[in-house]
Amino acid sequence: MDDVFLRACRREPVERTPVWFMRQAGRYQPEYRALRERYGILDICRTPELAVRVTALPVERLGVDAAILFSDIMVPVAAMGAGVEIVEGRGPVVDQPIRTAGDLDRLHVLEPGTDVPFVSEAVRELVKVLDHPLIGFAGAPFTVASYLVEGGPARDYARTKALMWSDPATWERLMTLLADSMLAYLRAQVEAGASAVQLFDSWVGALTEDDYREHVLPYSRRILEGLSGVPRIHFGVGAAHLLEAMRDAGADVVGVDWRTPLDEAWKRLGEGVAVQGNLDPAAVLASPDTLRRKALEVLDAAGGRPGHVFNLGHGVLPATDPGALQSVVELVHERTSRDGAR
Ligand code: CP3
C-alpha cells in the first residue's frame, strides 16, 4: 500500500504529516459509549462485526490517516489461559496472578488460529472496508507480564521486579512465553492484512536502562525482529531514559510520550528511525488557543523532517471532546501540506 502514513514510517517524503491517535476508539466517543451500554469491552473485541464498527468509527469521524485494530493488550493473554477481566476506570485484573514456576503451567503459547480466530477475521474485514492502513498491535512482554504478576494495574511494579531479579529462570520462561505468543499474534494480524504494527510497552519506564537491556529487551527484540515487511512502531510511557534501548530492540518508528520534546528525542535516536508523537493528551482538553499552540509546538519540534507521524504522547483521555480532536487532525494536515512533495 502506497500511503502517507506508511511512507512516513519509512522516512520517505510525504505530502502532509500523517496523524492518528492512540486510543482513538473509546469512551470519549458517544457512539462507543452507546455500544458499551449493551456489550462488555471484551465482547466487542471478540465479535468481529463490533470490533470492525468501533475500529472504523474514528477514521470516519476524525479524518485520521490510519486505523488501529480495536482490541486490548489482554485479549491474547486471556486466550492463553489467564483469567482476565477489564474493570472500568481501573484496567485489566487477573484473577490468579502468575508468580511461580507452577503458576506458569496454566498458560500456553498462543495459537492465533484456534485461540483468537476473531482477530484475524476482524482484520480481514477491516482491510476490505477501510481506505486507510490498519495498524495491528500487541502488548510487549514486560507490560503484559506486569499485569499477570501484579494481578492488576500497579504503581511500583514491585512484585514484577522482585520476580525478574530473584527468579530469573521463571522470568525467562514467562517472558519467552509472552514473546512467542505476541510474535505469533502480530504475525497473524499481518497475514490477515494489517500494514503496520505497534508494540505497546506502556509501563516499561519503571525500569532502569540496565534492567531493561538485560531482562526485557531480548524478548521485545524477539518479537520485533521476527516481523518483516511492515513498519514496526515501539512505544513506552515515561521511558525517555530508554529511547535508545527501545530503538535498539528493533523499531522502525519510536513512539515518544509527551514528557520529552520531540526534537530532543529525535536527536538522541538519530536519523535511522521515524518518530511518532507527541502532543500531551491533556492539551486536547485545554482552550482552543492552547491546544493549537501546543500542537504547533510538536510540529515545530518535528521541523518538517521526513519520518514524523503525528500522535498524542499517550492515549486519548475519556473526557476529550471529539470536535477538539478533529481540530488537531485538521491543523496538522493544513500546516504540513506540501504540494508537490509527490
Ligand atoms: O483505539 C485504540 O487505540 C485501540 C484500542 C486499544 C484498547 N486498549 C481498548 C481499550 C488499545 C491499543 C489498547 C491497548 C492497551 N490496553 C494498553 C497499551 C496502551 C496504553 O494505553 O498504554 C494498555 C496498558 C491496556 C490495558 C488497559 N485496558 C487499560 C489501562 C484500560 C483502561 C481502563 C479504564 O477504564 O480507564 C483498558 C480498557 C480499555 N481498553 C478501554 C479501551 C477503549 C477503556 C474503555 C472501556 O472500558 O470500554
Side-chain angles (χ1 to χ4, degrees), residues 244-276:
E244 293 92 342
M246 291 179 75
R247 172 202 63 199
D248 295 346
D252 302 298
V253 184
V254 175
V256 180
D257 92 345
W258 48 269
R259 292 168 184 84
T260 311
L262 212 58
D263 43 355
E264 217 178 285
W266 217 336
K267 199 166 153 200
R268 281 173 42 202
L269 289 165
E271 297 299 318
V273 285
V275 162
Q276 175 173 283

Side-chain angles (χ1 to χ4, degrees), residues 23-25 27 32 36 41 68 71-72 89 92 200 202 314:
R23 292 275 173 91
Q24 63 189 18
R27 278 181 306 221
Y32 179 82
R36 281 282 279 110
I41 175 164
I68 180 160
S71 187
D72 191 83
F200 282 97
S202 301
H314 198 184

Side-chain angles (χ1 to χ4, degrees), residues 137-159:
F137 76 90
F142 178 82
T143 291
V144 173
S146 81
Y147 284 111
L148 286 172
V149 176
E150 306 288 336
R155 211 172 335 143
D156 47 23
Y157 303 93
R159 286 180 189 276

